[in-house]
Amino acid sequence: MAHDVAALAAELTDMAAADHRLAGHANSDDPAERLAWRRLTARHGDRLNEIMDEYGWPTAELVGEEAARAAWLIAQHADRQLDVQRRALRLMRRAVEAGAAGPRELAFLCDRTLVNEGREQVYGTQIAGVKDGAPVPWPCAEPERVDELRAEVGIEPFDEYVARFSMA
């Protein structure tokens, strides 16, 4: 089992590295690059689903911090596989409740899943686009409470967060 877990950790970190290499293709003007991104994230989503079948949520205790973060990134980018995102969200929520995963990453996955379902996000982590050089978030369920909710899970205030995306 220890060898399997070490191999799993290496596989997850390799998948995240491939994700980082191709992430720029997600919104490329080149249809072939967008397709390559979609194929990669679909392959990774399928594999994450298999991993969840066998291990549940791959926590840091099981696979180490880097590989656990990689699993979260793979779930985060499984945008065209809502079943995988929803399942990852459920399993990760249980892991957070058990103290085995971080609430910050859970908040990002929660918002990403809600946006992909066409619903309002909770924490304001998902950006819809840029207007006049300023990032525009997807609609939030309680915009007046966003910073309070973000603070509860360890995310910086919204204005600080979006300043990183600013075109200024």
Side-chain angles (χ1 to χ4, degrees):
M1 175 82 167
H3 173 72
D4 288 352
V5 171
L8 174 61
E11 180 183 8
L12 285 166
T13 56
D14 287 349
M15 289 164 67
D19 183 287
H20 285 302
R21 279 193 305 275
L22 285 188
H25 291 6
N27 298 310
S28 172
D29 291 335
D30 181 344
E33 287 183 352
R34 285 195 313 273
L35 181 60
W37 169 253
R38 285 199 286 274
R39 286 181 173 157
L40 177 82
T41 56
R43 220 174 25 255
H44 287 175
D46 290 345
R47 179 62 184 126
L48 180 61
N49 214 26
E50 293 170 355
I51 290 166
M52 292 186 294
D53 282 343
E54 190 169 348
Y55 298 94
W57 184 251
T59 62
E61 183 179 346
L62 179 68
V63 295
E65 286 291 334
E66 185 181 6
R69 184 151 176 86
W72 166 79
L73 180 72
I74 292 158
Q76 187 80 351
H77 288 168
D79 293 318
R80 287 169 188 79
Q81 295 166 292
L82 260 173
D83 57 324
V84 173
Q85 272 188 338
R86 287 177 181 134
R87 183 177 186 203
L89 184 61
R90 275 192 313 275
L91 292 174
M92 193 176 189
R93 186 170 281 131
R94 285 188 214 137
V96 168
E97 289 166 2
R104 183 180 196 280
E105 286 77 19
L106 179 65
F108 275 84
L109 185 57
C110 176
D111 275 359
R112 187 77 168 235
T113 305
L114 287 168
V115 166
N116 285 332
E117 292 173 340
R119 296 165 58 197
E120 293 177 325
Q121 61 180 328
V122 174
Y123 302 95
T125 64
Q126 302 302 300
I127 304 300
V130 177
K131 183 176 182 182
D132 300 325
V136 178
W138 283 98
C140 294
E142 297 180 89
E144 69 286 350
R145 290 192 59 222
V146 162
D147 281 338
E148 172 190 339
L149 295 167
R150 292 167 73 89
E152 288 174 6
V153 295
I155 302 174
E156 68 267 50
F158 183 77
D159 288 344
E160 289 177 28
Y161 176 70
V162 297
R164 291 190 284 158
F165 298 94
S166 206
M167 305 305 252

